[in-house]
Amino acid sequence: MPLHRHRVASQVLVGNPLGDPSDRELIVYVPPGYDDDPGARYPALLALVGFGGAGGYLFNPDPLGEPLDLRLDRLIAAGACPPVIVAAPDCFTRVGGSQYLNSVGTGRYQDYLVDELVPFVDGHYRTLGPGRWGAFGKSSGGYGALLLGMHHPELFGAVADHSGDAGFELTYLRDFPAALDAYRAAGGPAAWLEQFWRDPNRNRAVHEMPLELLALASCYSPNPAAPAAHAHVDWPFDLVTGAFVPEVWARWRAWDPVNLVASHADALRRLKVVYVDAGTADEYALHWCARSLVHQLRAHGVAVRHDEFDDGHFNIGYRAEVSVPFLAEALLAP
């Protein structure tokens, strides 16, 4: 079987502030023929899903598409992609996501990936080891992949960012009014979150923005000393008046990849490849944000492949047909 399921007991997630489980599922894909040559070693990729998902989503049956394992089997059999190991972690949280970073509001999810999951896979599978790992993902997953390259170029040699969070003014600010209305009606963000988890249909569209912005605030502007009713975060808009709070927004902007490039340019230049793409009809304007990100990368001497395609933000798993071979070939290069 090309898919292997593990339960990994994390130490860094024990006692995380949201009370989320520290025992997490990890799904590992191995290429066809993996067991035939015990001496062969392979490049390895972390596959990071978008907000609201877990790694297992990538391998769900899809009658209108193709799960990642079958897609990779097909590409590898056709010679369109080198054999590769792919590890898909679960970094879901009570607020819907972790952005794959370390935060006192959610937990140490980047440390979980770097210090626990990658060594676990290296210890159980025949990877090429540090420096020959890559990371790819879509939306929040693309954001997380890019941050891994920025923060750990000694480990990750290639990253792909599909429609990843960036250009926060364009993609986030417009969502605040609906979220503020929802929080006010519920009696605050913490009360809203309790109501959300009591709802038997947590997939209602009306929940999307309040949950996502609560997760982002927990990642970008956490404050354990903030009122519990505010979910222990500082908000870039006053929850009573709606007034803009520039000093809090500055903390969000500090996590914007467009603004991080300058301070992480040396790390990014160490990577073998950086890949960025987005659909030209992205519902969150992330095609414009990708253009801004790519402009900054190139301005700081980072070589980047930038693609645009005719589609939106959703159901674009097929873009892995471009990114995964690109990353795997780069990781195999001398």
Side-chain angles (χ1 to χ4, degrees), residues 7-334:
R7 299 297 301 185
V8 179
S10 171
Q11 296 302 308
V12 302
L13 295 181
V14 170
N16 64 81
L18 294 175
D20 288 315
S22 58
D23 182 30
R24 296 296 181 107
E25 182 179 59
L26 172 69
I27 299 178
V28 179
Y29 166 89
V30 297
Y34 179 84
D35 294 328
D36 297 342
D37 184 357
R41 291 192 170 270
Y42 304 88
L45 305 177
L46 278 182
L48 306 180
V49 298
F51 181 79
Y57 283 28
L58 295 171
F59 307 103
N60 287 342
D62 182 357
L64 296 179
E66 194 174 22
L68 181 61
D69 54 327
L70 298 186
R71 188 182 304 277
L72 293 177
D73 284 352
R74 174 175 54 79
L75 291 171
I76 292 168
C81 180
V84 64
I85 294 170
V86 176
D90 171 16
C91 292
F92 184 80
T93 70
R94 189 168 183 265
V95 291
S98 63
Q99 295 295 92
Y100 303 97
L101 52 78
N102 294 333
S103 167
V104 297
T106 56
R108 294 164 52 195
Y109 284 89
Q110 189 173 108
D111 287 349
Y112 171 58
L113 296 175
V114 170
D115 297 336
E116 295 184 332
L117 284 196
V118 167
F120 178 90
V121 176
D122 283 341
H124 287 78
Y125 297 89
R126 299 192 309 275
T127 69
L128 293 174
R132 300 288 178 162
W133 271 84
F136 71 101
K138 175 240 178 179
S139 198
S140 290
Y143 174 88
L146 190 61
L147 258 61
L148 287 171
M150 289 181 175
H151 294 159
H152 293 282
E154 78 289 350
L155 180 58
F156 295 93
V159 298
D161 173 6
H162 296 289
S163 307
D165 295 22
F168 288 0
E169 284 81 6
L170 275 179
T171 193
Y172 290 159
L173 285 178
R174 60 183 180 173
D175 296 330
F176 271 97
L180 292 172
D181 286 341
Y183 301 150
R184 175 185 52 79
W192 180 88
L193 186 62
E194 293 296 331
Q195 290 184 14
F196 168 78
W197 281 106
R198 290 196 299 268
D199 190 339
N201 180 8
R202 290 183 286 274
N203 287 307
R204 299 178 200 273
V206 70
H207 293 328
E208 179 184 356
M209 290 302 102
L211 184 65
E212 184 170 358
L213 289 175
L214 182 51
L216 296 172
S218 298
C219 292
Y220 301 148
S221 56
N223 179 4
H230 292 186
H232 296 297
V233 300
D234 294 327
W235 291 90
F237 290 88
D238 186 276
L239 294 175
V240 175
T241 67
F244 185 54
V245 186
E247 58 270 25
V248 176
W249 182 246
R251 292 164 60 187
W252 285 51
R253 294 190 76 249
W255 283 103
D256 188 332
V258 176
N259 300 326
L260 286 170
V261 168
S263 58
H264 293 81
D266 288 343
L268 289 163
R269 285 191 291 264
R270 290 174 57 185
L271 303 183
K272 291 176 177 291
V273 292
V274 176
Y275 178 83
V276 176
D277 75 2
T280 54
D282 189 281
E283 291 84 350
Y284 302 98
L286 287 165
H287 51 306
W288 288 105
C289 303
R291 291 182 181 190
S292 181
L293 172 62
V294 168
H295 175 78
Q296 283 297 309
L297 288 166
R298 290 175 174 161
H300 287 84
V302 179
V304 55
R305 175 177 170 180
H306 176 216
D307 291 345
E308 293 186 339
F309 53 96
D310 182 18
D311 211 336
H313 190 74
F314 303 100
N315 302 311
I316 57 171
Y318 63 88
R319 295 300 300 174
E321 298 209 12
V322 179
S323 63
V324 171
F326 183 65
L327 298 186
E329 290 166 2
L331 293 170
L332 285 168

